[in-house]
Amino acid sequence: MVGGRTPGTVGNRGIVYAGEGKVAIQDISFPDLVLRDGPGVNPKNVGRKCDHGVILKVITTNICGSDQHMVRGRTTAPVGLVLGHEITGEVIEVGRDVEFIKKGDIVSVPFNIACGRCVSCREQNTHVCLNVNPDRPGSAYGYVDMGGWVGGQSEYVMVPYADFQLLKLGDKDLAMEKILDLTMLSDIFPTGYHGAFSAGVRPGSTVYIAGAGPVGLAAAHSAQLLGASVVIVGDLIPERLAQAKSFGCETIDLSKHDDLGEQIEQILGIPEVDCAVDAVGFEAHGHGKGKGEAPAAVLNSIMDITRAAGKLGIPGLYVTGDPGGIDEDAKVGTLKIRFGLGWAKAHTFVTGQTPVMQYNRYLMKSIMSGKAQIAKAVNATVISLDEAPEAYQAFDKGAATKFVIDPHGTLAR
């Protein structure tokens, strides 16, 4: 018996990458407190003991735009990789070295996997932990080249370093009452907030958000929480722009306009903003009718329209390996960025994964108080595990929603 469970007696299902453009629901191993071999697991991580970890019964797990990059075949993710890094769950088993997290706790899991012991973690840079990924600093659940930690778009998942990483969400009734908001704490709310915060948004700021996907919408809501006077959101998809407009943002349809500064001037009276956020990443497209993929388009445009000495928050994902890149440079993450423009304007660039633990506790308090309405901002929509393949397809086509998977029908009940 392990924690009251006989190994092998409980099943587990998860969503796996099934090749370009496809995901599948499969029976996967029930997690234990050892990182086993499997698709995407770094050989140096195989057999890694995690007595400092816990097993979660997943309450909610969300589909992320970063997952879509893999599913589109735009990374080197292997077939069979269990997806999912946005996880909220109930603790059902604790490792022998876990002291403070208890069975029955409802917890949010930061998507960054962090040991809590290395120099980076001690400095709160948990997005570049030095001890969880043998290839390079930083790791995440269910993601390519991130060490191979099994993803959480599943019924059950193992989380290492539980005492350090997990954020308790109060008593169960309160947590479940706010679960659609709290599920965003694992990634997109801190990521959107990080984009706005690192861009220097403060009371009175004018802000441009590139991209009206869930992270862009979270960044827009975060900019409002930080006191921005005007938040402008640009995107190519009218439905997503309508969602941004629904909570008070100004919008620009980039499928119709190629001069972003001109459109901003129509809103603000001047063709520039105080700060900007790139919530698009490496699959960016050019602005205007009929424009195709242009991976540096967003970075160059936000440098163009951000005032001198302004800051650029860049939570949008950029990768070092993109098999579908438009040219040989793009395939290795080398982009034609007008860095001279950014230098001349004395811009500050903030890039990389979001250090979720710097923000999630405070954002949780904002949710609990009713100040933050993140589920409404991103149009959270609950689906079952079996509906996930259809949701992936809808999201890939630009659905103006954040899909929240309910693996056990907990929310439905």
Side-chain angles (χ1 to χ4, degrees):
M1 298 286 286
V2 181
R5 169 179 61 83
T6 302
T9 60
V10 180
N12 191 21
R13 296 191 305 154
I15 300 167
V16 305
Y17 173 54
E20 186 174 337
K22 296 182 291 185
V23 300
I25 300 166
Q26 294 182 1
D27 291 329
I28 61 175
S29 299
F30 193 94
D32 57 14
L33 299 176
V34 177
L35 183 52
R36 307 291 184 184
D37 197 7
V41 179
N42 190 298
K44 294 179 181 179
N45 261 351
V46 174
R48 187 168 179 160
K49 295 182 179 179
C50 297
D51 294 320
H52 42 64
V54 300
I55 308 298
L56 298 184
K57 180 180 180 181
V58 177
I59 296 173
T60 54
T61 176
N62 314 326
I63 297 175
C64 181
S66 298
D67 299 321
Q68 285 286 18
H69 293 307
M70 290 187 289
V71 173
R72 291 185 188 122
R74 297 300 297 268
T75 71
T76 55
V79 170
L81 182 74
V82 182
L83 301 170
H85 55 270
E86 301 189 13
I87 309 163
T88 307
E90 179 182 1
V91 177
I92 62 169
E93 184 176 321
V94 297
R96 66 183 181 185
D97 295 336
V98 177
E99 185 174 359
F100 304 111
I101 297 293
K102 306 298 182 185
K103 288 183 184 179
D105 285 345
I106 305 296
V107 295
S108 175
V109 183
F111 79 88
N112 322 113
I113 301 172
C115 71
R117 297 155 168 80
C118 70
V119 171
S120 289
C121 288
R122 289 176 184 272
E123 294 177 346
Q124 288 193 309
N125 293 317
T126 53
H127 55 314
V128 284
C129 174
L130 304 177
N131 289 330
V132 290
N133 184 355
D135 286 337
R136 62 189 183 204
S139 190
Y141 302 89
Y143 211 84
V144 60
D145 297 331
M146 288 290 186
W149 300 89
V150 179
Q153 285 178 12
S154 55
E155 295 172 323
Y156 301 91
V157 68
M158 188 269 283
V159 174
Y161 305 106
D163 278 332
F164 175 66
Q165 292 197 102
L166 294 179
L167 176 65
K168 294 184 185 180
L169 298 179
D171 67 79
K172 190 169 185 175
D173 289 341
L174 182 59
M176 294 307 296
E177 180 183 335
K178 297 277 190 176
I179 195 65
L180 278 185
D181 292 291
L182 294 171
T183 190
M184 308 303 167
L185 290 174
S186 58
D187 182 355
I188 68 160
F189 197 9
T191 295
Y193 189 90
H194 177 63
F197 182 80
S198 61
V201 179
R202 58 187 177 183
S205 294
T206 56
V207 188
Y208 175 70
I209 311 289
V215 169
L217 295 172
H221 184 46
S222 296
Q224 292 173 333
L225 292 173
L226 287 164
S229 60
V230 182
V231 179
I232 305 169
V233 180
D235 201 281
L236 300 165
I237 301 174
E239 292 78 11
R240 288 185 166 183
L241 291 171
Q243 179 61 28
K245 191 173 290 187
S246 74
F247 60 95
C249 299
E250 300 285 345
T251 61
I252 297 173
D253 187 340
L254 297 171
S255 70
K256 298 178 180 178
H257 306 286
D258 58 5
D259 191 330
L260 179 57
E262 181 181 275
Q263 298 304 307
I264 288 174
E265 186 171 17
Q266 290 186 15
I267 296 169
L268 298 178
I270 56 174
E272 64 179 14
V273 292
D274 294 316
C275 42
V277 177
D278 172 3
V280 177
F282 73 103
E283 288 193 67
H285 282 66
H287 302 164
K289 295 181 180 179
K291 295 293 180 67
E293 188 168 315
V298 168
L299 291 172
N300 288 330
S301 68
I302 63 175
M303 282 190 285
D304 190 48
I305 55 88
T306 301
R307 67 172 175 82
K311 296 182 179 181
L312 312 178
I314 309 173
L317 176 67
Y318 289 87
V319 296
T320 56
D322 174 12
I326 61 172
D327 54 36
E328 293 305 309
D329 283 341
K331 289 179 181 179
V332 293
T334 300
L335 309 182
K336 295 178 180 178
I337 299 170
R338 295 184 64 197
F339 190 73
L341 175 61
W343 190 94
K345 296 179 78 172
H347 282 157
T348 298
F349 300 76
V350 180
T351 68
Q353 289 187 48
T354 296
V356 170
M357 293 178 68
Q358 289 187 23
Y359 307 109
N360 61 353
R361 186 174 302 277
Y362 300 100
L363 295 176
M364 176 186 70
K365 292 179 181 180
S366 295
I367 289 169
M368 292 302 194
S369 69
K371 180 71 172 178
Q373 303 285 335
I374 186 64
K376 180 180 178 181
V378 301
N379 191 24
T381 302
V382 179
I383 61 171
S384 69
L385 194 69
D386 292 315
E387 292 172 308
E390 292 181 12
Y392 264 97
Q393 292 180 8
F395 192 39
D396 188 50
K397 294 175 182 176
T401 191
K402 177 69 172 177
F403 288 107
V404 177
I405 300 169
D406 176 11
H408 297 276
T410 306
L411 278 64
R413 290 195 297 269

